[in-house]
Amino acid sequence: QVTLRESGPALVKPTQTLTLTCTFSGFSLSTSGMCVSWIRQPPGKALEWLARIDWDDDKYYSTSLKTRLTISKDTSKDQVVLTMTNMDPVDTATYYCARIKASAATFDYWGQGTLVTVSS
Amino acid sequence: DIQMTQSPSSLSASVGDRVTITCRASQSISNYLNWYQQKPAKAPKLLIYAASSLQSGVPSRFSGSGSGTDFTLTISSLQPEDFATYYCQQSYSTPWTFGQGTKVEIK
């Protein structure tokens, strides 16, 4: 059974760095073809893809956010970490992690999401 | 980046109606197109992958078609539990991108 769970601060101040952790089970990121992504959704708005990390440690980032994002993995802990620097109120959103079904290039399992509010 | 445009942005329909949502890519994406359903305060759920493949466990009233730049999601007979927002997403090239969503509301 595949599960993913996001964790991190619910509130961050402007200019601070956000660190989110995705803890998963039911699959391994050391298995060929496995990938994990981060996606976010501001309140009442559309989904926005942020980053992806692959089993072979290849990494991909949103064009508009790539200077602020870092994605990493710890296969021994079954975790993927996303950091986002210089947080701004417009970054207020629910942040999701999701597994990628590599054979079909799709997000087949999602975490429940974690709401991050950026406010002083 | 590949832009994904959905239409309509919202629609009102009745139970039993046939509903069609379209998604257009700014360049050809072959069949690298997925559809998700999202209900309020819930994570998105995969419905269709590779343009027309039904995800396991998804009712057969959902279907997808298209290739290249134009795609459709069809719900053959709308059920009460289908009122939600639907998103298309391309996985042809990174950065992967989503459409802006189509909200299906009760008429």
Side-chain angles (χ1 to χ4, degrees), chain B residues 17-98:
Chain B
D17 284 353
R18 182 182 182 87
V19 169
T20 298
I21 299 168
T22 65
C23 179
R24 174 165 289 177
S26 60
Q27 66 183 74
S28 177
I29 58 171
S30 184
N31 69 333
Y32 287 86
L33 191 283
N34 308 303
W35 290 98
Y36 303 86
Q37 176 193 66
Q38 187 179 34
K39 296 181 179 179
K42 295 291 187 182
K45 171 188 172 184
L46 175 64
L47 298 177
I48 302 285
Y49 63 96
S52 60
S53 296
L54 193 67
Q55 173 70 349
S56 176
V58 173
S60 59
R61 63 181 179 272
F62 290 94
S63 64
S65 64
S67 67
T69 59
D70 295 314
F71 302 86
T72 60
L73 173 70
T74 300
I75 308 172
S76 60
S77 177
L78 198 66
Q79 298 301 300
E81 59 269 30
D82 301 336
F83 292 96
T85 300
Y86 295 83
Y87 292 94
C88 63
Q89 174 254 326
Q90 67 82 17
S91 52
Y92 179 78
S93 67
T94 54
W96 291 1
T97 44
F98 290 88

Side-chain angles (χ1 to χ4, degrees), chain A residues 1-5 22-28 34-36 97-101 107-111:
Chain A
Q1 178 190 3
V2 173
T3 65
L4 303 99
R5 185 182 76 250
C22 175
T23 303
F24 55 86
S25 63
F27 69 98
S28 173
M34 288 297 171
C35 319
V36 170
C97 62
R99 189 186 83 160
I100 292 169
K101 183 178 179 181
F107 306 114
D108 61 344
Y109 290 92
W110 294 66

Side-chain angles (χ1 to χ4, degrees), chain A:
Chain A
Q1 178 190 3
V2 173
T3 65
L4 303 99
R5 185 182 76 250
E6 305 86 354
S7 59
L11 179 67
V12 296
K13 292 180 171 25
T15 76
Q16 286 187 335
T17 294
L18 171 69
T19 299
L20 295 173
T21 300
C22 175
T23 303
F24 55 86
S25 63
F27 69 98
S28 173
L29 249 187
S30 58
T31 299
S32 178
M34 288 297 171
C35 319
V36 170
S37 261
W38 286 93
I39 301 108
R40 72 178 179 179
Q41 185 173 39
K45 296 189 177 181
L47 299 163
E48 178 183 19
W49 179 82
L50 299 177
R52 169 185 139 194
I53 189 164
D54 295 353
W55 78 99
D56 57 1
D57 213 36
D58 279 349
K59 301 165 187 175
Y60 306 88
Y61 296 101
S62 161
T63 301
S64 60
L65 293 169
K66 60 184 176 182
T67 61
R68 299 173 53 205
L69 295 174
T70 302
I71 192 169
S72 62
K73 63 181 173 71
D74 185 334
T75 53
S76 67
K77 294 182 179 178
D78 286 339
Q79 291 181 334
V80 170
V81 175
L82 181 76
T83 62
M84 180 180 293
T85 61
N86 195 24
M87 293 292 285
D88 182 272
V90 300
D91 297 313
T92 295
T94 297
Y95 288 75
Y96 296 98
C97 62
R99 189 186 83 160
I100 292 169
K101 183 178 179 181
S103 59
T106 188
F107 306 114
D108 61 344
Y109 290 92
W110 294 66
Q112 84 278 12
T114 186
L115 175 62
V116 178
T117 300
V118 184
S119 174
S120 55

